Amino acid sequence: MMSPPLQLQRFFYSHYFFGGLRQASGVLLPALVLTMLWGSVTTGFVAAVGAACVAILDQPGGPRRYGINGMFAALCLGSLTTAVTGLAASHTLLIWLVIPALCFAFSMLTVYGKHGGLLGFACLLIMTLTLRTPLTPSDVLQHTLTSFLGGAFYLVYSAIVHRLMWHREEQQALSVALFATADYIATRANFYDIHEDLDKNYRQLIRTQASMTDAHQAARDMVLRELPRGTTKRSDRQRQGLLNLFVDMIGLLDSMVATHTDYATLRQALPDSDCLLFVRDAMRKLAANVSGLALNVARNRRTRVRNSVKAELRALEFELQQLREADMAQNNPELYALLVQVLRRLRNMTRQVDRMADHSVNPLPRDTDTARANRSLNRFLSRQKWRLGLLTDNLHPQSAHFRYAVRVAAAALLAMVVGSALARAPLVRTLDPGMAGHSYWIILTVLIIMKPGFALTRQRNGWRLIGTLAGCGLALVLFYLNLNPTLYLLILVACSILGYSLVQLNYTLSAMSNTVFVLLVFHFLVPGSTTVVGERLVDTLIGCVLALSGSYILPSWERNTLDALAQALRETNLAFLRHGQAFVQASRLARQHGQNPLEAIEAETRWKLSRKNVHTAFSNFASAFYRMMDEPTRRQRHVPEFNRLMIQHHALASQTAAVIPQLAQLDTEPEGIRQALKATENTLAGQTAQVPNVIDTDGNYAALAYPLRQMIKAAQQIQDNMLALQPAPQTDAKPQTDAAPG
C-alpha cells in the first residue's frame, strides 16, 4: 500500500487532476469574464453551462481526435437542445412531451459506447439546466447564442491546451498505466503470502486486471497515435522515449500473465519454505520500482535510484539448490519446474524494469522499420464507429439500450410530476417559496444517477446521497463562518477542480465537491440565504428515490448479458490459441528454411493483437459478473458456472501465453505436445477431442508438461460449464422453468 503523501502525489500529477484543472478553468473563465466585464451574472451562468456541456466530452486519457470530435458534437447538439427546450418551456403541454422524448433519444446514444453515453449526458445536462429559468420565445435566441459561445470558447481553449501540452498528457496517460501495472504486480505478490486468503486475492486480482486493461488501452491510444518518425527533433525524441516505456511496460505485463501458477499447490507443498517469502518480497520491490517510475514519468523526471531485488533472487536460488539436493527434481519434477519458472520470470521482470528506468534516462530509438512498425501498432488502437444503423438496430424492447432509454424517460417524467406537485403544494409554498423554482434539480439528480445497469445505479445512488449530505454540511459550516467573498470564490474554484478531477476516481468526494460548488454559486446569486442548502438536499433525496425506483422499469439484469460475454470470451481465447500456433509455425519456417521473416513478424503481431482482445473480453466478462453479484440474489443465475468460467479462462489464457513463446523456440514438436494443443483447441471449439496419454517431459520439454495439462483441464471445464449454461430441453411432461430464481 502506498503512503498517503505518495497517493496525493499520484493524484496531483495524474491526468485526472490535470484534466479537472483544464475543465474547471475552461468552464469558469467565460462566467468570470462576462460577470466582470458586463456585470451580468445570469449571462455568465448561461455561458458556463454551455462550456460545461462541451467539457463533459473532454475526458482525460484517450485519443485527442475523438475528444475534439466529441466536443464539437456536444457543441452542436447542446445548442440545438437548448433551443428546443427553451421554445418548449413556454408551452405547458409541449414541455411534458419534449423532456421525456429528449431523455429517450439521448439515452439511446449509449449504443455508441462510452463516448456516446457522455454525449447523451451532456445534452441532457444542458436540457435540464435550461429549465432553471423560464424563457420567453424572444429570449430563446439570445440564451442559445450565449450558451453556444460558451461552448465554442471551451472547444477552442481545450484544443489550444491540448496542442501545447500534448507531451505532458501522453506522459500522464502512460503514468496512470504504469501505476495500474504496479498495482497488479503488488496484487500478484499477495498470492505468495500464506497468510492471505486465496479467494479474496483472486477477486482483487480480477478487478485490478480489469482496471489495468482500461489504463493500458488509454495509454495505447495516446502514445501510439503519433509515433516517432526517426528524426532528431526534440518532439520526436520525446515520442521515442514514451514509446520505449510503453513497449517495455507491455513486455513486463507479458512476463506477469504468461503463466497461471498453482498457488494452492505451492502453499500445500512448501508451507514452511522461505521460497514463497522471497518471491513475495521481490515482487513487492518490483511493484515499488514501477510505481516510482510511474511517478517520475508524471513529474517529467528521470529514474535512477531503484530498489534492488538481487538479495531475494540469490536467496531464492539458494532455496532451489537446497530443494534440488533433497531430490525434488526427481520426486516432484513438475513442482520443481514451476519454481524454476517463477525464478526465471522474476529475473526477466527485473531486467525489464531496469530497462524501463534506463529508457527514462536515455530514450534511444529502436532498431525497427518505422513505417512497418506504424502499420502494425495502429491495429492495436481502439476505433470509434458512429453508424446510424447501430442506433436503429436497437430500437426494440429486447435491446438493453432501448430499455435503459425507456427507464430514463419514465423516471424523468415521474420527476416532472413530483416537481410540479411540490410547486403547487400549499405547505411547500408557505414554508419555502423558493423550492418551486428549483424542482429541476430533481430531474438532474435522476439523470446523473441512472445508469444502464441496476447495480451501477444503486451504487451511484448511495455515493450521490453520501456526497450530497457531506457537501451540504460543509456548505453550512462555510456559510456560518461568514468568510470574505474572495475566499469563497477561491473555495468555489477549488471545488470545481476537485469535482471534475475525482469523478472517475472517487464519486462520493466528487459529489461532495460539486454540491459545495453549486451552493456557493447560489450564495453569490442570493447572498445571505441558506435555504438553498435544504432545497438541494431535499431535491437530491427525492431524485435518488425516483432514480432507484425507475431502475425497476424494464430492468436489464446482468444475467441476460453474461451468456453472450462468455461466448465472446471463449471465441477470443480460441483465436488466441490458434494465432499462437500459427506464430509458432511461421517462426520455425523462417528459422529452418530461411523463409521471409516478415511473415513470422506478421504472425507474431496477430498473436499479440489476439492477446489484447483476450484481456479486453476477460475484463468485460469479469466486470459484468461482479455487477451481477451486486444485484438482488433472486436476479442472479448460474453463479458457480460463471465463476468457474472466469477462473478457467484466466488460467487458459495465462498458460497459452506461457507455452507459445517456448514452442516458437523449438525446432521440433513431439507428438504428445502436438496432441495436447489439438485437444485443447478442439475442446474449446466444442468438438470431440482426443487427450494424449503421455506428454514429453524430457529436456527442453519439461517446462511445457504442466502448462499443457492445465490448458487441457481448463478447456474441458470451460466446455462443461458452457453446456451447463444451456437451457434444459422442453418436454411434454414438464414445462421448462426459468433457471434464475425469482
Side-chain angles (χ1 to χ4, degrees):
M1 295 294 294
M2 298 180 64
S3 62
L6 288 178
Q7 290 180 342
L8 288 177
Q9 288 188 67
R10 176 174 176 174
F11 169 67
F12 284 115
Y13 282 104
S14 68
H15 63 20
Y16 299 111
F17 180 76
F18 182 80
L21 181 63
R22 181 180 64 247
Q23 290 171 300
S25 58
V27 170
L28 294 178
L29 275 176
L32 295 176
V33 170
L34 291 175
T35 301
M36 289 187 294
L37 292 182
W38 284 279
S40 177
V41 178
T42 303
T43 303
F45 178 81
V46 174
V49 169
C53 172
V54 177
I56 291 176
L57 274 296
D58 190 17
Q59 294 294 314
R64 282 297 101 226
R65 184 181 63 185
Y66 291 161
I68 296 297
N69 293 343
M71 287 188 287
F72 181 75
L75 176 62
C76 297
L77 276 180
S79 300
L80 179 62
T81 302
T82 302
V84 171
T85 305
L87 291 173
S90 58
H91 298 81
T92 305
L93 178 60
L94 189 59
I95 193 65
W96 286 82
L97 298 175
V98 168
I99 297 302
L102 290 178
C103 289
F104 176 83
F106 290 131
S107 298
M108 281 296 300
L109 294 181
T110 55
V111 300
Y112 297 113
K114 176 184 176 181
H115 292 280
L118 290 174
L119 178 59
F121 175 72
C123 296
L124 291 176
L125 173 66
I126 203 169
M127 174 202 75
T128 308
L129 295 179
T130 304
L131 297 173
R132 174 180 172 270
T133 304
L135 300 174
T136 62
S138 58
D139 295 332
V140 172
L141 178 60
Q142 180 181 356
H143 187 96
T144 304
L145 181 60
T146 304
S147 175
F148 176 83
L149 292 177
F153 167 80
Y154 186 90
L155 177 59
V156 175
Y157 166 80
S158 179
I160 293 175
V161 172
H162 287 310
R163 182 67 177 176
L164 296 176
M165 305 294 292
W166 66 268
H167 181 59
R168 188 77 178 142
E169 292 179 356
E170 291 188 5
Q171 282 180 315
Q172 290 167 338
L174 183 58
S175 172
V176 171
L178 287 168
F179 273 123
T181 305
D183 293 341
Y184 181 80
I185 297 174
T187 305
R188 289 287 290 259
N190 291 334
F191 282 94
Y192 295 94
D193 190 339
I194 61 175
H195 302 294
E196 296 285 344
D197 182 68
L198 279 179
D199 292 336
K200 180 180 177 181
N201 285 347
Y202 189 79
R203 289 192 295 270
Q204 181 62 32
L205 180 71
I206 297 302
R207 291 186 170 93
T208 305
Q209 182 172 333
S211 301
M212 181 182 64
T213 300
D214 294 338
H216 280 190
Q217 187 58 50
R220 185 179 287 110
D221 288 335
M222 289 286 287
V223 175
L224 301 186
R225 290 287 170 184
E226 295 292 338
L227 294 170
R229 298 176 175 84
T231 65
T232 58
K233 294 182 179 179
R234 181 171 179 268
S235 60
D236 209 47
R237 293 198 304 272
Q238 291 173 333
R239 287 192 172 97
Q240 185 65 58
L242 294 178
L243 177 61
N244 291 345
L245 283 175
F246 176 80
V247 173
D248 289 336
M249 179 184 68
I250 297 300
L252 178 63
L253 174 64
D254 293 343
S255 297
M256 284 297 303
V257 302
T259 184
H260 182 78
T261 305
D262 191 347
Y263 302 104
T265 300
L266 282 178
R267 292 184 177 191
Q268 183 178 2
L270 304 170
D272 302 320
S273 174
D274 290 335
C275 288
L276 303 185
L277 179 66
F278 295 140
V279 175
R280 182 203 64 184
D281 292 344
M283 294 185 69
R284 287 180 176 175
K285 280 189 175 182
L286 290 174
N289 289 342
V290 176
S291 182
L293 175 63
L295 185 59
N296 285 334
V297 169
R299 294 186 298 184
N300 197 26
R301 296 182 182 178
R302 296 178 177 180
T303 301
R304 295 184 181 276
V305 180
R306 300 183 297 275
N307 295 322
S308 174
V309 297
K310 290 182 179 179
E312 285 77 13
L313 293 179
R314 289 175 179 173
L316 184 58
E317 291 173 356
F318 176 77
E319 290 293 330
L320 286 178
Q321 181 180 354
Q322 295 292 103
L323 294 175
R324 185 170 57 252
E325 292 176 356
D327 295 331
M328 174 180 278
Q330 289 75 30
N331 299 331
N332 197 342
E334 291 190 8
L335 179 61
Y336 183 78
L338 183 60
L339 291 173
V340 172
Q341 286 182 1
V342 171
L343 175 61
R344 291 175 178 173
R345 189 164 67 248
L346 285 175
R347 288 173 178 167
N348 190 31
M349 290 172 59
T350 302
R351 288 193 296 267
Q352 288 170 327
V353 173
D354 290 342
R355 186 167 62 247
M356 291 167 68
D358 293 338
H359 282 157
S360 71
V361 177
N362 186 23
L364 295 175
R366 294 176 179 269
D367 187 16
T368 56
D369 183 352
T370 304
R372 181 174 180 83
N374 290 357
R375 290 194 300 269
S376 299
L377 294 176
N378 280 337
R379 285 183 281 179
F380 290 84
L381 301 177
S382 59
R383 308 293 180 184
Q384 186 71 39
K385 297 180 180 180
W386 295 80
R387 295 185 296 104
L388 181 61
L390 188 60
L391 183 64
T392 56
D393 290 344
N394 282 273
L395 291 175
H396 55 83
Q398 287 72 36
S399 169
H401 302 286
F402 179 87
R403 297 164 77 92
Y404 167 64
V406 171
R407 287 198 299 275
V408 174
L413 182 61
L414 187 58
M416 294 177 66
V417 172
V418 174
S420 178
L422 288 175
R424 297 178 182 180
L427 181 61
V428 174
R429 286 179 173 272
T430 303
L431 296 178
D432 188 2
M435 180 167 286
H438 296 291
S439 59
Y440 71 93
W441 195 263
I442 301 176
I443 303 177
L444 182 60
T445 302
V446 168
L447 297 178
I448 290 175
I449 292 177
M450 292 199 71
K451 293 296 175 183
F454 177 87
L456 293 177
T457 299
R458 185 174 65 177
Q459 187 181 56
R460 177 159 289 206
N461 193 40
W463 291 342
R464 182 75 180 180
L465 272 176
I466 297 173
T468 301
L469 287 172
C472 288
L474 182 58
L476 284 175
V477 173
L478 292 174
F479 295 156
Y480 176 78
L481 295 176
N482 196 19
L483 302 175
N484 184 281
T486 303
L487 189 56
Y488 277 134
L489 181 61
L490 293 177
I491 297 175
L492 182 148
V493 173
C495 288
S496 177
I497 295 173
L498 291 177
Y500 279 112
S501 302
L502 294 169
V503 68
Q504 297 185 46
L505 296 176
N506 191 315
Y507 188 78
T508 299
L509 292 179
S510 177
M512 183 187 72
S513 301
N514 287 328
T515 300
V516 176
F517 168 76
V518 170
L519 294 176
L520 286 175
V521 168
F522 281 102
H523 178 74
F524 280 107
L525 294 176
V526 187
S529 175
T530 59
T531 58
V532 69
V533 178
E535 296 169 13
R536 291 281 79 77
L537 183 57
V538 172
D539 289 344
T540 300
L541 288 172
I542 296 173
C544 288
V545 172
L546 295 179
L548 192 59
S549 302
S551 298
Y552 290 93
I553 301 174
L554 293 179
S556 296
W557 305 109
E558 294 295 340
R559 67 184 188 186
N560 298 325
T561 63
L562 276 171
D563 284 339
L565 292 175
Q567 183 61 33
L569 179 56
R570 180 178 183 171
E571 293 174 356
T572 53
N573 237 330
L574 179 59
F576 183 41
L577 178 60
R578 287 174 173 172
H579 285 137
Q581 294 182 77
F583 163 55
V584 170
Q585 190 66 21
S587 299
R588 287 176 182 165
L589 291 176
R591 186 172 57 252
Q592 296 175 357
H593 304 289
Q595 293 190 3
N596 189 354
L598 295 181
E599 295 182 2
I601 296 175
E602 175 64 21
E604 183 180 13
T605 300
R606 287 195 297 267
W607 180 61
K608 291 182 178 180
L609 182 60
S610 62
R611 180 179 58 196
K612 188 207 79 166
N613 294 336
V614 167
H615 291 327
T616 302
F618 181 81
S619 297
N620 293 337
F621 177 78
S623 299
F625 173 76
Y626 285 121
R627 286 197 301 268
M628 184 185 73
M629 298 305 296
D630 290 333
E631 294 176 346
T633 305
R634 63 193 184 93
R635 300 299 180 183
Q636 302 172 11
R637 73 176 182 91
H638 294 309
V639 173
E641 288 80 6
F642 285 129
N643 185 60
R644 287 193 290 266
L645 278 174
M646 184 170 60
I647 295 173
Q648 296 307 321
H649 273 295
H650 185 270
L652 177 61
S654 299
Q655 301 295 7
T656 303
V659 165
I660 294 302
Q662 297 182 60
L663 289 176
Q665 300 301 320
L666 300 179
D667 294 331
T668 60
E669 190 174 276
E671 184 62 25
I673 293 180
R674 187 179 299 108
Q675 290 179 1
L677 291 172
K678 191 63 177 178
T680 303
E681 180 182 350
N682 290 341
T683 303
L684 201 59
Q687 302 173 2
T688 303
Q690 182 178 359
V691 180
N693 297 324
V694 179
I695 299 178
D696 300 79
T697 58
D698 296 331
N700 295 330
Y701 309 128
L704 295 173
Y706 175 79
L708 286 171
R709 290 194 183 95
Q710 293 300 309
M711 288 172 62
I712 296 174
K713 179 181 177 182
Q716 290 173 339
Q717 293 193 14
I718 289 172
Q719 173 67 2
D720 294 340
N721 285 282
M722 290 295 291
L723 292 175
L725 296 179
Q726 298 179 3
Q730 295 186 6
T731 61
D732 296 335
K734 184 178 180 180
Q736 183 183 11
T737 58
D738 189 359

